[in-house]
Amino acid sequence: MTAKPHAGSCDRNREPILAVLRRHLGDARTVLEIGSGTGQHAVHFAAAMPWLRWQASDHRDHLPGINQWLDEAALPNTPAPLELQAVVGSGLRPLPPVPLVDGEAGFDAVFTANTLHIMGWEEVQALFAGLPPLMAPGALFIAYGPFNQGGGFSSDSNRAFDGWLKARDPRSGIRDFEAVDALARAQGLELGEDVAMPANNRTLVWRRAPARTG
Ligand SMILES: C[S@@+](CC[C@H](N)C(=O)[O-])C[C@H]1O[C@@H](n2cnc3c(N)ncnc32)[C@H](O)[C@@H]1O
């Protein structure tokens, strides 16, 4: 049996992220996490917010590690992780079954941490293009990670991190908040909150328009 995958960053950022999520997810029932990585966030957030059904997802290579975390925690609100990728030109594939719960028109929230600077910009575009069919009216899209603003890095450490990312994969890199927000707006998402987080990160919370009545 191989050791569970572990990211020290998750140990450091999970409580500050949880504080933001708690404020926004009190009325939510279902959350889709994109790019769950190790699965540590899924376990921590699902345990802390037992009213949620927390659906982890990632590339198929990550699913065994996520399963190790989920199986060990044995929580009642973490279904098996889904294979899900932002695919250039195709949105999010394969599309998870929607509605996931009878009568629901999509997830109440989609959460992603530290993914937008890892994938190429075209994948970031695909991710946003793929969101609407997965989000219920009024649903939230919540993204945690580093972002640039006004064309500049928010810290020397983020500048160095961006250099490290690009040396590893030239398609990756810290994204401009304005460009990401433009993608969100193009999908009908409106920024509701922009929370400064430790270590020069941010949590951005967008909301999809609620269903029209009448
Ligand atoms: C730095 S890890 C972050 C993992 C975890 N969310 C965390 O905060 O520790 C980046 C994650 O993004 C995922 N990822 C990369 N490209 C992706 C894509 N095109 N679609 C979905 N996820 C992707 C990777 O598989 C990986 O799990």
Side-chain angles (χ1 to χ4, degrees):
M1 175 101 171
T2 53
K4 297 201 303 291
H6 180 265
S9 57
C10 288
D11 295 334
R12 294 188 292 276
N13 62 32
R14 64 186 192 175
E15 289 304 330
I17 297 173
L18 176 60
V20 178
L21 295 181
R22 273 188 195 283
R23 283 197 285 109
H24 287 280
L25 300 179
D27 293 330
R29 291 169 296 173
T30 55
V31 177
L32 170 67
E33 181 182 12
I34 297 175
S36 297
T38 61
Q40 286 164 266
H41 278 156
V43 165
H44 191 69
F45 298 149
M49 297 180 285
W51 62 90
L52 296 175
R53 183 178 192 270
W54 190 279
Q55 177 64 65
S57 76
D58 208 316
H59 188 272
R60 74 168 75 88
D61 292 349
H62 288 267
L63 302 189
I66 298 170
N67 267 320
Q68 280 184 275
W69 280 89
L70 299 189
D71 289 349
E72 185 179 288
L75 298 168
N77 57 337
T78 52
L82 295 172
E83 178 187 348
L84 185 67
Q85 282 281 286
V87 178
V88 176
S90 300
L92 286 158
R93 292 287 178 268
L95 201 63
V98 175
L100 288 178
V101 176
D102 281 351
E104 289 187 344
F107 292 90
D108 296 327
V110 179
F111 169 77
T112 195
N114 285 324
T115 55
L116 303 183
H117 59 275
I118 298 294
M119 50 185 86
W121 179 245
E122 287 181 316
E123 275 97 19
V124 176
Q125 292 174 306
L127 185 153
F128 277 92
L131 285 177
L134 296 174
M135 295 175 71
L140 302 177
F141 177 63
I142 304 175
Y144 166 87
F147 293 91
N148 293 336
Q149 182 114 21
F153 293 100
S154 60
S155 67
D156 288 343
S157 61
N158 275 355
R159 181 191 302 276
F161 182 47
D162 185 72
W164 179 84
L165 286 167
K166 289 193 165 76
R168 207 184 56 149
D169 176 359
R171 300 177 65 249
S172 65
I174 296 179
R175 306 299 169 200
D176 291 332
F177 159 76
E178 294 87 346
V180 175
D181 187 46
L183 293 183
R185 277 187 280 115
Q187 300 302 332
L189 304 176
E190 188 181 337
L191 188 71
E193 199 180 7
D194 176 356
V195 188
M197 305 293 284
N200 301 299
N201 289 298
R202 288 156 80 173
T203 300
L204 302 172
V205 183
W206 288 271
R207 183 180 291 279
R208 187 179 176 201
R212 291 187 187 193
T213 53

